[in-house]
Amino acid sequence: MKGEVSDSANTKEPKKQLGESGRPGIKTVDDDKSISLHVASKTLMDMARRRGLHASQFEAEQAWQQVTATNSRDRLVAAWKSLYKGHAVATSTVGLLSPSQLPAWIIVENSMGVVLKLAEGDKPIQIQWFGAEPSKLPVNPEVMIPVAPMADSSAESFLKEEPVGQASEAIRVGLKAHAPLLMRVALVSIFINVIAVVSSLFVMQVYDRVVPNFAYATLWFLAVGMLVMYVFDVLFKLVRHKMMDAVSKRLDEALSLFIFERLLGLKLDRRSSRQGSLVAQVRDYESVKQFFTSSTLFALVDLPFVFMFIGVIYLIAGPVALVPLAFTVLSALIGFMAYKPLARIQQENNDAVVRRQGMLFEVVSSGEVVKSQGGEAKFGDAWLNATRETCDRGEELNYVSTLVQIITSFFQQASYVFLIIVGVYVIEAGGLTVGGLIACSILGGRTLASISGISGLLVRWHHANYSLKILNQLLSAPSDIHSNREANTYSMPLHLDLKEVKYAYTGSYLPQFSAESLHIAAGSKVAVLGRNGCGKSTLLKLLAGVATPNQGEVRIAGLNYENCRLSWLREVIGYLPQDPRLISGTLLDNLTLGISMPSEEEIVAALEKTGLIEAVQRHPMGLQLPIAEGGAGMSGGQRQAVGLTRLVLQKPKIWLLDEPAASLDSVLEQKVIDIINELPADTTVIFTTHKQSWVNLATRGFIIHNGEIVKELLPELAPQPKNVEKPAIAPSVVNVGNVQ
Ligand SMILES: Nc1ncnc2c1ncn2[C@@H]1O[C@H](COP(=O)(O)OP(=O)(O)OP(=O)(O)O)[C@@H](O)[C@H]1O
C-alpha cells in the first residue's frame, strides 16, 4: 500500500523565520524533534477544513506548541482537543476503518497524513501527506479519527438547575481534579495525628507505670519507640507539606488562567466600562486564592481529627471530653455570629477599595488631561476621601476580625482550665489517673488550638466567598466564549448583512445604531459618512464583531456572527479602530499579534507599503523597537500605521477602517490609498471618513444620521477590474455627510 496523493511536493518548508536570524527576543518556534511545527500545524488545519471546522495557522501552531505528550500521536490528539473543546479522537487501524469515518490521521515515521480514501480493489489507499512521504507504509497502521461532540442532551432537561457561578464551578472542578492528591494528604494526616495521640499515651504510661516503680527498661523501650515515631512524624509532615503546596500551586495556576481567559472572553461592550474597577474586582481573586493556600487547607485537613482527639479523651477520661466538645460548639457559634456584621463591613470595604482603585487607574491613564487642565487638586481631594473611607472600613473590618479571635482565644484558655477542673473531679471519682489527666491536657490543648481556628476559618471563608461572588458576577457578563461557535466557510463569498439590528451601549436607553436591513456584497468598497457621533464607528464595531447587537443579527456569508468560530472571524475580518492602541513589547510583537509569524521579507514589504519602514530604519533597535503600555513611544500617526501594517500582514478578506487617515500625513495617506487600490477585487473595504479623497475610493457610500442610514449615495456596484475607472461619488452629494 502506498499513499497515492502526496502533498509533500506542495508543502513548502516555511520561509526563514525571524527567530532564525538570531535577533534577540524572537523565539524559534519549532521545538518538536520528530515532527516539525509546520507539518503538525498543516495536518491540524487540513483536518479542520475537511471536517467543516476552522483553525488559523496561528491557532494550530499554538495548540501544537502548548500541549505536551510523550509521542506525536498523543500530542496531535491533545492539540486537536485543545482546539475544539468537547471533541474527542478515537483510534483504530486502517483495516478496521469504514469510509464513513474518514478523514482520519495517520502518522508514519516523521510524517503526518490524512487518510482520504481507503483501498478499493486495485485502487490504493489515498493519503494526503504533510512532510516527506514515508518510503513504506506499515501493515495495518494505526489511525486517529476525530469525533465531534453529540448535541447537548441537557437542553432537554426539564429540571432547571440553579446556575452555578463560573468561578465557583472552576474551583469545584479544580478541587475534584485534585481529589486523589487530597486523599493522600488526608491519609498522611491520619498518621501524623495518630502519632500525636500516641505521644500523649506515652506520657500517661510514664506517669502511671514507670514513675511509681522506676521501671527504667520500660521507660527506655517506650522512649526509643517514641523517638522513632517522631522521625516518621517529621517525614510525614514534610511529605504533607510538599503535597499541599503542589495542590495549592496547581489550583492557583489553573484558576488564574481560567479567570484570565474568561475575562478576555467577555464581550468588550458588555463588561464593566469602568476599567479601574474591573481590574480591582479581578484582584479579588487574590483573596479567593489565599483561602485555598496551604495554611487553610492544613487547617481544614486537621479539623476532622479534632473529633478523633475528643474520642480518645473520652476513652481515657469519660466526661472530660465534654469540655472540648462544648468549646467546639461555642467556637462555631462565635464564627457564625460574626458572619453578618462581617458581611456588611466586608461589602462596604470592598466597594471603597474598588472605587479608590478605579480613581487611581483613571488618574494614571489620563495623566496628560489631569495635568494640563490642572485637575490635580480636585483628584487629590477625592483621593484623600477615598483613602479615608478605605482606612475606616479596613479598621472596622480588622477590629471585628480581631475581636472574634480574642474572644475565641479567651474561651480556649477557659476551656483548658475547665478541662483540668473536670479532670480532678473525675480522678477523685476514680475514673482517671494522674497520668491520664496529663495525657488529656496534652490532647486537649491540641484539640482546643485546632478548634479555635474554626472561627478564623469562617472569617476567612467569608472574605473568600464574598470575592467569589464578585468574580461570579463579573464572569456572568455575556461572553464570546460559548458552544455553537464552529461555523465558518472557505468558499462562500463573504457578503455582510445586518438584519433588524438595534444596538445600544451599556447604560443607554436609546439605540446608538439601528438598521432594518443592510447588505454589503463581497468586494464592495464602502464609504460610511456622517457627522460626529452619528454612529459610524458603532457600525464598524458591529461588523468587526467587537460589539454585539442587542437585537437582530449580523451575518457574514449568511452565518450569524454569534455562531462563527472566533479565530475564523478574526482571520477574515481586519479591523482598524479609530485610535488603535498598542500592547507593551516590541514593534514586532505588535505587528504579528495573533497571526502566524511572517517571514522577515514579508514584514519589510508590509512596512514599505505603509511607510513605517523609515521609522524602523531610523531606530537603532529596528523591529525590536520597544513599545510601552498603550503604545507610548509611538506617535498617533505611527500607531495608525502599525495597525495598517498588521492588516497588510494579516491579509483579511474584509477590511474595516475607522477613519484610517485621521492621523496620517498626505504621503502616508496616499500610501494607504494605494494599498486599498491594490487589494484583490473580492476584498471588501468599509471605511468611515470625512475626506473627499477617500470618498473617491468607494463604489458605494451611505450617510448615517442619529444612528440610522438615511441616505444611500450610489447603488451597489460590482467590483470593477483595476483598469476600469470607478464612478466616484460626487462631492456635492456627500456634503450632507460632512465631507471636506
Ligand atoms: N463606549 C460608549 N459608551 C456609551 N456611548 C457611546 C460609546 N461610544 C460611543 N457612544 C455613543 O454612541 C454614539 C455613536 O458613536 P460613534 O463612535 O459610533 O460615532 P461616530 O459617528 O463614529 O463619531 P466620530 O465621527 O466622532 O468618530 C455617540 O452618540 C456616542 O456618544
Side-chain angles (χ1 to χ4, degrees), residues 269 273 503-508 511-513 528-541 578 658-659 688-690 704 707:
D269 55 333
S273 55
Y503 180 81
Y505 287 95
T506 313
S508 170
Q512 268 84 25
F513 184 84
V528 182
L529 313 169
R531 307 200 58 152
N532 289 129
C534 67
K536 301 183 294 296
S537 303
T538 310
L539 168 62
L540 255 62
K541 282 181 198 166
Q578 211 171 64
D658 200 349
E659 301 211 22
T688 66
T689 188
H690 293 286
I704 298 181

Side-chain angles (χ1 to χ4, degrees), residues 459-529:
V459 169
R460 261 186 288 165
W461 164 241
H462 178 261
H463 195 164
N465 194 28
Y466 180 77
S467 305
L468 200 58
K469 272 190 196 153
I470 290 188
L471 275 180
N472 281 333
Q473 204 179 342
L474 194 71
L475 299 184
S476 68
S479 171
D480 278 323
I481 305 171
H482 57 82
S483 50
N484 305 327
R485 257 207 179 272
E486 291 302 347
N488 65 83
T489 173
Y490 288 93
S491 51
M492 305 286 280
L494 300 181
H495 303 313
L496 293 170
D497 284 281
L498 261 61
K499 300 257 181 237
E500 294 170 8
V501 163
K502 279 201 190 327
Y503 180 81
Y505 287 95
T506 313
S508 170
Y509 296 107
L510 290 172
Q512 268 84 25
F513 184 84
S514 44
E516 265 304 295
S517 166
L518 175 68
H519 175 78
I520 299 172
S524 309
K525 308 285 178 277
V526 184
V528 182
L529 313 169

Side-chain angles (χ1 to χ4, degrees), residues 106-144:
I106 183 167
I107 302 181
V108 180
E109 293 162 13
N110 289 342
S111 291
M112 285 182 170
V114 177
V115 180
L116 301 175
K117 259 191 184 169
L118 296 175
E120 222 180 285
D122 295 342
K123 291 187 187 150
I125 185 171
Q126 278 190 20
I127 302 173
Q128 170 110 27
W129 286 109
F130 296 96
E133 185 178 339
S135 49
K136 193 164 154 270
L137 272 188
V139 181
N140 206 12
E142 189 185 42
V143 286
M144 282 83 71

